[in-house]
Amino acid sequence: MRKIWLTRHGESEYNERALLGGDSNISPAGQIYARLLPDVIVDRIPLTLEGATMPVSVWTSTLRRTIQTAELLPFPKLRWKALDEIQAGIFDGWTYEEIADKHPEEYAARKRDKLRYRYPSGESYMDVIQRLEPVIIEIERERECVVVVAHQAILRALYGYFMKIPLSDVPRLEIPLHTLIELVPTPDGRMAEERIPFN
Ligand code: G3H
């Protein structure tokens, strides 16, 4: 059975400073994760019925932190704009504290309805879920194993879709850094899940 692996990028310089969005490089801790990732995945590649290892492809966003995290994976790579992180609009590069402090009404509106709240000049989770549709269609059509190296909001949406999580719960799903999520389709149409934390 083929596998789908989901992982956030390794810790970024923006993560270190708790800043939203941006296109920063991965931090030293993120680089360690990127160096360990290939062995963790290679060890888990399933075999075909003929006993060969299944082909694997790697999909990243177009942002530096996912490209750098995937760099050492020895498989063909594809960049998807649709996998870029949720656009924080005018709040790109801000911290949550700054938003709460300078725009408490926006902060409260997002807290009230995180699924539908759209950042000014940016996106909502609903927007993200919609733009991921072509990616989901391709993952489902794909016969190979796929490693998706993306971002927190994006992986919440993809994970939520595959695990049939109600939409209202998607924006608060736990998708930690430095954790590989392995999904394996089961004969009853569900996905078996394993989480492999490492760093
Ligand atoms: O914007 C950056 C985060 O990855 C998304 O997290 O939707 O919980 O604010 P959040």
Side-chain angles (χ1 to χ4, degrees), residues 8 20-21 85-86 88 96 110 114 119 125 151-153 156 171:
R8 288 174 69 185
L20 290 175
E85 182 55 305
I86 188 170
Y96 293 116
R110 189 164 199 255
K114 198 174 175 190
Y119 281 115
Y125 268 86
H151 307 266
Q152 180 164 236
R156 281 175 172 151

Side-chain angles (χ1 to χ4, degrees), residues 8 15-16 31 39 58 64-65 74 78 81 90 92 95 100 125 128 149 155-156 158 190 192 194-195:
R8 288 174 69 185
N15 290 145
E16 285 183 305
Q31 288 168 18
D39 279 353
V58 180
R64 283 195 194 110
R65 53 199 188 274
L78 198 62
K81 183 88 184 132
I90 62 166
D92 190 86
T95 63
Y125 268 86
V128 165
V149 185
L155 295 175
R156 281 175 172 151
L158 291 180
R190 291 179 313 110
E194 192 177 337
R195 290 188 174 217

Side-chain angles (χ1 to χ4, degrees), residues 27 29-30 36 60 69 81 106 131 137 140 146 157 171 184 187 195:
S27 70
L36 295 173
T60 68
T69 303
K81 183 88 184 132
E106 295 290 336
R131 81 160 136 98
I137 291 170
E140 294 201 314
V146 184
V184 185
R195 290 188 174 217

